Amino acid sequence: MAHVIEVPPETTLPVEGEAGVFPVRRIWCVGRNYADHAREMGHDPDREPPFFFSKPATAAVPGGTLPFPVQTRDLHHEVEMVVALGKGGRDIPVEQALDHVYGYAIGLDMTRRDIQAEAKKLGRPWELSKGFDQSCPISPIVPAARIGHPARGKIEITVNGKVQQTGDLNQMIWSVPEAIAYLSRYVELLPGDLLMTGTPAGVSAVKPGDLLHGVCEGVGEIKVQYAG
Ligand code: MN
């Protein structure tokens, strides 16, 4: 069928060891999924139900040099493991959730914290703080067929060589299968959906020129340098 305007480009991510690319459909993010980060944001981490927000698929970009985001004086990094779904479903049981995973990556849930703080105060939505252009740098996806399903391992980010966030995947309040199962009760998940799994403590402000280097043990790494 003909389109009445130019068709927007598909957002894709490279897959390690494959010629084909992964098409990104949606980006879901779990909020406050590491207790120490929940505490640093002023919340009690005792297993409240998980909550989710989303970024547009177009926010996903590979690492490399990125322009410094507009409209913020408090840009924060949140390093997270990313789950890439290869199979969709509704009301997915926890025990079957990992069957829906195609692979994993490491990503940065970049956040305009000043805009988010204002939104929280006024009870407004988070989109402009979380879903802005290029707000989700993501590494190449590694198929689960090759690495399995990481449930433990170091996740860390350095800024200009200094460790800022460090944690272990085993510190997640809601595990990957639990988060998939929970989310699938509210929306139908489909192939191409990504899930950002939350960030450990140590979020901090980034300046133009800063070099961010995230590492997720057994999954991969991502480097982002903001233009000075
Ligand atoms: Mn996050």
Side-chain angles (χ1 to χ4, degrees):
M1 190 188 299
H3 296 85
V4 298
I5 58 166
E6 197 178 321
V7 178
E10 184 183 41
T11 301
T12 62
L13 291 169
V15 179
E16 267 191 30
E18 300 286 337
V21 293
F22 183 92
V24 180
R25 179 172 178 266
R26 294 190 292 197
I27 306 172
W28 290 101
C29 307
V30 190
R32 295 174 210 138
N33 202 24
Y34 288 74
D36 53 356
H37 173 64
R39 277 188 212 100
E40 78 177 347
M41 298 304 288
H43 296 272
D44 179 351
D46 284 340
R47 280 177 79 92
E48 302 167 345
F51 75 92
F52 298 86
F53 60 93
S54 70
K55 293 175 183 257
T58 51
V61 289
T65 303
L66 295 179
F68 196 82
V70 297
Q71 298 286 354
T72 184
R73 292 173 176 210
D74 199 20
L75 176 71
H76 277 203
H77 52 77
E78 297 189 359
V79 66
E80 314 202 0
M81 186 170 78
V82 184
V83 181
L85 296 187
K87 202 172 111 185
R90 285 194 180 100
D91 297 319
I92 299 168
V94 174
E95 316 77 59
Q96 291 167 25
L98 292 180
D99 301 342
H100 296 253
V101 176
Y102 171 78
Y104 296 87
I106 175 172
L108 303 179
D109 168 16
M110 298 305 298
T111 303
R112 295 194 282 210
R113 196 72 76 197
D114 41 1
I115 293 181
Q116 188 193 33
E118 184 77 355
K120 284 180 178 174
K121 198 166 68 189
L122 298 172
R124 289 180 179 164
W126 285 11
E127 272 82 352
L128 290 180
S129 67
K130 289 287 196 177
F132 56 94
D133 299 335
Q134 301 173 315
S135 59
C136 203
I138 297 179
S139 74
I141 291 170
V142 191
R146 194 169 327 142
I147 60 164
H149 297 279
R152 56 183 48 76
K154 186 165 82 167
I155 182 163
E156 187 169 276
I157 189 168
T158 62
V159 179
N160 303 324
K162 178 172 175 262
V163 175
Q164 282 291 350
Q165 290 184 270
T166 189
D168 194 291
L169 299 175
N170 69 9
Q171 295 165 337
M172 285 184 201
I173 297 171
W174 298 93
S175 68
V176 169
E178 286 172 336
I180 292 171
Y182 194 94
L183 183 57
S184 76
R185 289 157 54 189
Y186 288 82
V187 291
E188 180 181 12
L189 295 173
L190 285 172
D193 285 344
L194 300 180
L195 178 64
M196 308 280 293
T197 55
T199 200
V203 298
S204 71
V206 177
K207 304 180 303 303
D210 281 353
L211 175 65
L212 284 58
H213 183 199
V215 178
C216 183
E217 191 181 337
V219 173
E221 62 177 330
I222 185 162
K223 283 185 185 165
V224 168
Q225 178 142 38
Y226 281 103

